Amino acid sequence: GAVVSQHPSRVICKSGTSVKIECRSLDFQATTMFWYRQFPKQSLMLMATSNEGSKATYEQGVEKDKFLINHASLTLSTLTVTSAHPEDSSFYICSASNRVDYEQYFGPGTRLTVT
Amino acid sequence: AQSVTQLGSHVSVSEGALVLLRCNYSSSVPPYLFWYVQYPNQGLQLLLKYTTGATLVKGINGFEAEFKKSETSFHLTKPSAHMSDAAEYFCAVTRSGGYNKLIFGAGTRLAVHP
């Protein structure tokens, strides 16, 4: 149980384009989802927290107009990187929590490369 | 505010040797503590967690950790390392109850040599 998927697992896009990453909870209802960014050989940095049906709460220093987060249902959250630049290249990981144990279940991550 | 310090960014052990990964935390409220493992290009897998109750917690793959409030520590151990244990390990802390963000340590890369 408590499986979280991400799609795509790997994406390459050109500078200036937008890319959408999906995070799905497959066997539970995720009332809260978290988006993290991880640079090579570094720890995870929380970007934002999203609750189903409401606006995401962004961490300090994260541009909300660049990283658009939507959590329209209890099983799906999306992160859209708008007007991507090479410095946005990173490993993006989502996690999902339910009301049962509040534990965060992590997705497998998405490797974004902007050329 | 909460924070996590993992002593040693790299730890190397021989196969069959004891694994000890250190984690110290800072928290002004009762913490929940976690250890996660990450294999290359993958997400995080929960090894074990401490919330309340018994301070020695056992996790998957033979790992365990002990919550020591007086030392503000939550070190991860395994009696005998396997080659498959080679990975990145993250300690994390959060506030108890509800949806709270995890604060991660910088991570420790464990290498296991034959």
Short mmCIF file of all heavy atoms in Angstrom, two decimals, chain B residues 1-5 24-28 72 93:
data_model
loop_
_atom_site.label_atom_id
_atom_site.label_comp_id
_atom_site.label_asym_id
_atom_site.label_seq_id
_atom_site.Cartn_x
_atom_site.Cartn_y
_atom_site.Cartn_z
N ALA B 1 12.30 26.35 15.66
CA ALA B 1 12.85 25.88 14.38
C ALA B 1 13.47 24.51 14.58
O ALA B 1 13.91 24.16 15.68
CB ALA B 1 13.89 26.86 13.87
N GLN B 2 13.46 23.73 13.53
CA GLN B 2 14.04 22.40 13.60
C GLN B 2 15.19 22.29 12.60
O GLN B 2 15.19 22.95 11.56
CB GLN B 2 12.98 21.35 13.26
CG GLN B 2 11.84 21.29 14.27
CD GLN B 2 10.81 20.24 13.89
OE1 GLN B 2 10.25 20.28 12.81
NE2 GLN B 2 10.55 19.31 14.80
N SER B 3 16.15 21.44 12.93
CA SER B 3 17.27 21.20 12.02
C SER B 3 17.81 19.80 12.27
O SER B 3 17.56 19.20 13.31
CB SER B 3 18.37 22.24 12.20
OG SER B 3 18.95 22.13 13.47
N VAL B 4 18.56 19.32 11.29
CA VAL B 4 19.17 17.99 11.36
C VAL B 4 20.61 18.08 10.91
O VAL B 4 20.90 18.72 9.89
CB VAL B 4 18.42 16.98 10.46
CG1 VAL B 4 19.13 15.64 10.47
CG2 VAL B 4 16.98 16.83 10.92
N THR B 5 21.49 17.45 11.65
CA THR B 5 22.90 17.38 11.29
C THR B 5 23.31 15.94 11.16
O THR B 5 23.14 15.15 12.09
CB THR B 5 23.78 18.06 12.35
OG1 THR B 5 23.39 19.42 12.50
CG2 THR B 5 25.24 18.01 11.93
N ASN B 24 22.02 14.01 14.48
CA ASN B 24 21.62 14.83 15.62
C ASN B 24 20.59 15.84 15.15
O ASN B 24 20.67 16.34 14.04
CB ASN B 24 22.83 15.54 16.23
CG ASN B 24 23.73 14.58 16.97
OD1 ASN B 24 24.63 13.97 16.39
ND2 ASN B 24 23.47 14.43 18.26
N TYR B 25 19.64 16.12 16.00
CA TYR B 25 18.57 17.01 15.61
C TYR B 25 18.44 18.15 16.61
O TYR B 25 18.95 18.10 17.75
CB TYR B 25 17.24 16.25 15.52
CG TYR B 25 16.74 15.83 16.88
CD1 TYR B 25 15.87 16.64 17.63
CD2 TYR B 25 17.16 14.63 17.46
CE1 TYR B 25 15.44 16.27 18.89
CE2 TYR B 25 16.73 14.26 18.71
CZ TYR B 25 15.89 15.08 19.42
OH TYR B 25 15.48 14.72 20.68
N SER B 26 17.76 19.17 16.17
CA SER B 26 17.42 20.30 17.04
C SER B 26 15.93 20.55 16.86
O SER B 26 15.44 20.67 15.72
CB SER B 26 18.21 21.53 16.65
OG SER B 26 17.76 22.67 17.36
N SER B 27 15.22 20.59 17.98
CA SER B 27 13.79 20.83 17.90
C SER B 27 13.28 21.40 19.22
O SER B 27 13.62 20.89 20.28
CB SER B 27 13.05 19.52 17.58
OG SER B 27 11.65 19.73 17.51
N SER B 28 12.45 22.41 19.12
CA SER B 28 11.90 23.03 20.32
C SER B 28 10.62 22.33 20.77
O SER B 28 10.09 22.64 21.83
CB SER B 28 11.62 24.51 20.06
OG SER B 28 10.74 24.64 18.97
N THR B 72 19.99 14.38 21.98
CA THR B 72 19.32 14.85 20.75
C THR B 72 19.86 14.09 19.54
O THR B 72 20.25 14.68 18.53
CB THR B 72 19.46 16.37 20.55
OG1 THR B 72 20.84 16.72 20.46
CG2 THR B 72 18.82 17.13 21.69
N VAL B 93 13.50 15.23 10.34
CA VAL B 93 12.73 15.54 11.54
C VAL B 93 11.50 16.33 11.15
O VAL B 93 11.49 17.07 10.16
CB VAL B 93 13.59 16.35 12.54
CG1 VAL B 93 13.98 17.72 11.98
CG2 VAL B 93 12.87 16.52 13.88
#
